[in-house]
Amino acid sequence: MRSIWLSGPMGSGKSSVGPILAADLGWDFVDIDALLEARHGRSVAALFAAHGEPGFRALEREAVLAQREASGPAVVALGGGAVLDRETRRGLLSSGVLVTLRAPVDELVRRVGSGEGRPLLAGGVPVEVLGALLSARASAYAECHAEVQTAGRTLESIAREVRSIASCPPVVVPLGERTYRVEIGRGTAARLGRRSVEAGVGPVVVVVGDVNVADKVRRARADLEAVGLRTTEVLLPAGEAHKHVASVEAIWDAALEAGIDRGGAVVAVGGGVVGDLAGFAASTLLRGLAFAQVPTTLLAMVDSSVGGKTGFDRAQGKNLVGSFHQPRFVLCDVDALSTLDPDERRSGLAEVVKAAWIEGEAAVQALEANAEALHAGDPDATLAAVRTAVALKARIVSEDEHETGDRALLNLGHTLGHAMEAASGYAMRHGDAVARGMVVALRVGRALGRGRLEDEVRMVALLRRLGLPIDPAPFLDAQ
């Protein structure tokens, strides 16, 4: 496990929960404020007065960076404003598990008392100052692996919850107050009801799937209804050929007939086609509803369920009408892949290869080491591959949400791939098309003097070991 960083406003419980959690784990506990006081021989209030807030934040950044570079994991209580610096915050997300502790303003005021020794409260009304601070810091506090409410709870129960989160942390897509988390594991689909309640949606939820996942749609509805939500379902015909506006209209009509309002949500249970259609319907219903993804194919888990691209096809090409609409949460349950057609699962590995190729040498080596296990559908190897692919996409999407720059890297192999899919009448699987497209992309790059033969040979060998096609020539000749 990596270090656990506790963030949140003053009075949220960081310095109280931290020692209990650290003792439970057998780790060191570090309080950044105490570290600063020991390092500089002055109280936090005195440092704040001497350097002003900008100067104090610079000292705080140095202390956090030093702790990040320390050997061995620790439980670290951060100062309330430590995560305001974007570079610091993103570094904490990548170097450990960042948890924001929360409590209502009146509870925070009760805990901090008069505010003595807290420079930001000096001369102000605590409830007003804390309310303004929470509002100003909302985006920064939201970018974390989890938010944990602390009001009315024992310190021990809070510590147990943080430990549980840290044992299998989600992948975070940090987008300010629109931040969401991708939970990857076994049995995660069963969290749908709980996550929906935490997201504050309801009372009506529309569950969208296709005829191939009717049983999973029924289970999703049962989970949602068990927590008091009302549901309706839309079962679409399966396949890319049905990724058109009529399918979107079916979702619109079902939602409106169910009496959905702006508090409602759309949940996609299925593959990439279902997710794209449901997401677009959510983005346009009542000018935008909450949306969640429960992908049931490997392809959807590692690609389409993350990033917020939604839409449908037109006669002129694939995904030409759509919107960017990020989900509230994503639940990737690899147990769902056990019933997936082996060829469909194998096809999804193309996007895994694409992600590893973009991520770099270590990711490619990991795929090469696990190629046979992945080809056989081993759950542990699949979990690791999904997490690597999702982490890459999350990082790129957070920097380029609307694909004006580096997000275009995620289209490796897709230019020719989409063309082959369309020309085949979508009889060719998306992953098979992307695998062929990546090989062509490397060949074109090499012809332009921007690639090496050994890279092409290496990718071809990896694709073959995963059971993916590599040669587009027979298909192109047939056209």
Side-chain angles (χ1 to χ4, degrees):
M1 291 173 64
R2 301 173 297 169
S3 289
I4 298 173
W5 308 91
L6 299 179
S7 178
M10 64 183 81
S12 59
K14 305 182 296 292
S15 297
S16 299
V17 172
I20 295 172
L21 178 59
D24 187 36
L25 291 166
W27 293 0
D28 290 336
F29 171 68
V30 177
D31 186 306
I32 292 296
D33 282 351
L35 189 65
L36 283 169
E37 292 179 342
R39 178 177 291 183
H40 297 283
R42 306 173 76 177
S43 69
V44 165
L47 289 170
F48 216 91
H51 298 278
E53 184 167 5
F56 177 80
R57 296 299 174 208
L59 297 176
E60 191 174 49
R61 284 195 298 274
E62 291 174 5
V64 171
L65 180 59
Q67 185 58 42
R68 278 182 57 196
E69 295 174 346
S71 61
V75 176
V76 184
L78 298 164
V83 296
L84 298 182
D85 179 71
R86 184 177 185 274
E87 184 177 350
T88 298
R89 186 169 67 250
R90 297 294 171 86
L92 296 176
L93 283 170
S94 65
S95 65
V97 179
L98 178 60
V99 176
T100 299
L101 302 185
R102 291 192 176 277
V105 173
D106 58 350
E107 176 66 11
L108 296 175
V109 171
R110 186 189 68 79
R111 292 175 182 175
V112 300
S114 65
E116 184 179 352
R118 299 182 183 272
L120 290 177
L121 294 183
V125 179
V127 68
E128 295 177 358
V129 174
L130 276 168
L133 282 176
L134 288 178
S135 178
R137 295 174 177 180
S139 291
Y141 283 156
E143 291 191 354
C144 61
H145 288 92
E147 298 177 85
V148 173
Q149 295 294 333
T150 63
R153 300 179 60 184
T154 66
L155 297 176
E156 290 76 12
S157 72
I158 299 165
R160 284 195 299 271
E161 183 176 352
V162 174
R163 180 171 183 171
S164 176
I165 292 162
S167 67
C168 186
V171 175
V172 182
V173 185
L175 294 169
E177 292 184 72
R178 293 178 300 111
T179 291
Y180 60 96
R181 294 151 192 107
V182 184
E183 297 179 57
I184 304 164
R186 304 188 68 173
T188 54
R191 301 172 190 167
L192 176 59
R194 181 164 24 120
R195 292 294 179 258
S196 298
V197 169
E198 292 168 354
V201 303
V204 177
V205 177
V206 180
V207 183
V208 182
D210 64 33
V211 294
N212 289 338
V213 293
D215 59 331
K216 293 181 174 64
V217 168
R218 284 193 295 271
R219 285 200 293 273
R221 294 186 66 185
D223 288 342
L224 293 163
E225 290 170 3
V227 295
L229 297 169
R230 288 194 290 117
T231 71
T232 189
E233 71 180 46
V234 179
L235 285 181
L236 302 168
E240 186 82 28
H242 301 284
K243 192 177 177 182
H244 47 54
V245 70
S247 295
V248 178
E249 289 175 340
I251 303 170
W252 286 336
D253 291 343
L256 296 171
E257 289 167 7
I260 202 164
D261 61 21
R262 287 186 175 175
V266 178
V267 174
V269 179
V273 171
V274 167
D276 282 4
L277 292 169
F280 181 77
S283 76
T284 49
L285 273 165
L286 304 180
R287 296 184 174 87
L289 296 182
F291 169 52
Q293 292 258 28
V294 186
T296 61
T297 68
L298 180 58
L299 183 62
M301 289 181 189
V302 300
D303 185 38
S304 60
S305 66
V306 180
K309 280 188 177 180
T310 76
F312 54 91
D313 304 338
R314 299 297 293 167
Q316 293 86 349
K318 186 172 178 176
N319 298 326
L320 293 181
V321 179
S323 62
F324 287 95
H325 189 57
Q326 301 291 348
R328 290 286 183 89
F329 58 86
V330 181
L331 302 176
C332 294
D333 188 347
V334 298
D335 284 347
L337 304 179
S338 63
T339 58
L340 196 65
D341 177 271
D343 287 338
E344 189 67 31
R345 179 182 50 76
R346 171 192 51 75
S347 173
L349 292 172
E351 293 284 359
V352 173
V353 173
K354 177 203 75 176
W357 219 259
I358 296 169
E359 179 67 18
E361 180 63 27
V364 175
Q365 286 185 8
L367 275 192
E368 290 171 331
N370 291 320
E372 282 67 36
L374 284 167
H375 186 265
D378 177 79
D380 291 337
T382 302
L383 270 171
V386 171
R387 180 170 285 274
T388 296
V390 171
L392 166 76
K393 189 161 190 181
R395 187 170 68 252
I396 290 179
V397 167
S398 71
E399 300 292 339
D400 181 22
E401 183 179 359
H402 297 115
E403 199 173 270
T404 59
D406 285 350
R407 187 167 176 174
L409 291 169
L410 297 173
N411 293 326
L412 174 64
H414 286 60
T415 303
L416 182 59
H418 282 174
M420 287 190 288
E421 279 185 274
S424 73
Y426 297 105
M428 182 181 295
R429 289 183 171 86
H430 175 74
D432 291 352
V434 168
R436 292 176 163 116
M438 287 192 294
V439 174
V440 172
L442 263 64
R443 289 176 182 170
V444 170
R446 185 162 56 85
L448 294 173
R450 298 176 183 174
R452 303 179 304 170
L453 176 61
E454 50 264 44
D455 293 330
E456 179 188 330
V457 170
R458 188 180 187 186
M459 176 180 279
V460 165
L462 178 56
L463 292 172
R464 278 180 170 152
R465 290 175 65 196
L466 294 171
L468 289 161
I470 59 163
D471 190 358
F475 172 80
L476 296 176
D477 291 344
Q479 304 304 307

